[in-house]
Amino acid sequence: MNEQQFIEALKNKGIELSDQQIAQFKKYFELLVEWNEKMNLTAITDFEGVYLKHFYDSISASFYFDFTKVESVCDVGAGAGFPSLPIKICFPHLHVTIVDSLNKRITFLNHLSEQLQLDHVEFVHARAEEFGQNTSYREKFDVVTARAVARLSVLSELCFPLAKQGGYFVALKAAAGPEELKDAKKAITTLGGSLKEEFAYTLPIEESERTLYVFDKVKQTPKKYPRKPGVPNKTPIV
């Protein structure tokens, strides 16, 4: 996906990028490739690949979930900033908090946000399990996002505790989404969630399958969740 295809594809979905936003994406790509030589941020480093599989893929969540109606977003395990930072560039009003367990990635994100002149962004170095028990962040966000971090049964335990009651958890998944959803049913209910909508679609050009799940946070998450670091992954709620 070249730059013009990217701009046109977003325009067709109702997102018209300004010159400043186009420049921000270009700078994002340049910094991602530059820093990737020093640390492992992504296996995808070609221009067309980054624009399609990172930028467009991240923003595609906004085709199905209305980010204009929320303000605070928490992105769990965002790595190099996906999906929340491409969404933030398109919807500048958002207040974005990213939690990641690797300090090197946090250093990259801080540098990136300065270079892109992003406001209302916060990057926190922490394990998601500990972050979810931190009263400064627990049940404070309008929407929690995650893309390709872990299986949905595990991800639910990391994300639902951060969404406020009446808020949402938006999970970006590949083709295995429906299988993961089956395994995660008990976890979703236990943690205070309920499936609101699901969308299956394909990424343009390469036609790879994607699934997006929007969950409502219908009740408070029991205090014992998330459990200690590593436990959700070893023994998911099933």
Side-chain angles (χ1 to χ4, degrees):
M1 178 176 267
N2 64 36
E3 188 179 59
Q4 201 49 45
Q5 288 172 316
F6 176 70
I7 293 164
E8 285 299 316
L10 290 184
K11 194 176 176 181
N12 291 337
K13 295 290 188 180
I15 298 170
E16 292 213 35
L17 296 178
S18 66
D19 290 346
Q20 184 197 359
Q21 289 166 316
I22 292 165
Q24 283 175 312
F25 279 113
K26 205 166 199 169
K27 188 78 178 163
Y28 197 153
F29 166 74
E30 288 165 4
L31 290 167
L32 181 68
V33 172
E34 182 192 322
W35 279 64
N36 202 58
E37 288 172 11
K38 297 180 269 188
M39 64 177 81
N40 182 26
L41 290 167
T42 175
I44 302 161
T45 54
D46 64 294
F47 188 93
E48 285 82 2
V50 170
Y51 269 70
L52 176 66
K53 295 177 185 174
H54 284 324
F55 296 165
Y56 187 87
D57 192 27
S58 293
I59 298 160
S60 66
S62 74
F63 308 157
Y64 306 98
F65 179 84
D66 189 356
F67 283 93
T68 64
K69 293 202 163 80
V70 295
E71 186 175 273
S72 57
V73 176
C74 181
D75 193 359
V76 174
F82 308 122
S84 57
L85 292 188
I87 292 168
K88 163 74 177 168
I89 292 170
C90 293
F91 303 94
H93 75 282
L94 292 172
H95 291 227
V96 171
T97 301
I98 288 177
V99 56
D100 199 275
S101 61
L102 206 61
N103 206 28
K104 286 194 295 189
R105 287 198 287 252
I106 297 294
T107 305
F108 164 72
L109 292 169
N110 275 311
H111 179 72
L112 177 72
S113 70
E114 281 166 24
Q115 294 295 308
L116 301 187
Q117 298 180 319
L118 299 177
D119 61 0
H120 303 304
V121 288
E122 183 184 359
F123 308 114
V124 182
H125 174 230
R127 292 289 297 263
E129 295 93 333
E130 291 163 344
F131 186 77
Q133 288 289 2
N134 184 329
T135 52
S136 302
Y137 299 106
R138 186 180 177 89
E139 300 196 315
K140 293 285 195 290
F141 297 95
D142 297 333
V143 58
V144 182
T145 59
R147 173 179 176 257
V149 176
R151 300 186 313 282
L152 201 50
S153 53
V154 177
L155 210 48
S156 296
E157 186 167 347
L158 306 180
C159 294
F160 275 115
L162 296 164
K164 60 170 72 159
Q165 214 171 322
Y168 307 93
F169 166 35
V170 176
L172 291 80
K173 286 283 168 190
E179 205 56 46
E180 290 188 28
L181 182 66
K182 265 187 232 163
D183 295 341
K185 286 217 157 112
K186 184 169 181 206
I188 291 159
T189 312
T190 303
L191 296 156
S194 169
L195 180 62
K196 182 177 191 263
E197 292 173 292
E198 60 184 286
F199 304 93
Y201 56 100
T202 54
L203 211 53
I205 300 168
E206 65 167 37
E207 300 297 315
S208 51
E209 291 175 40
R210 295 287 185 270
T211 316
L212 185 90
Y213 294 109
V214 179
F215 300 98
D216 283 323
K217 175 74 176 280
V218 291
K219 59 180 195 291
Q220 279 191 314
T221 301
K223 283 192 168 53
K224 72 171 183 174
Y225 300 110
R227 292 165 292 169
K228 286 190 169 67
V231 176
N233 205 28
K234 280 197 199 98
T235 54
I237 304 163
V238 286

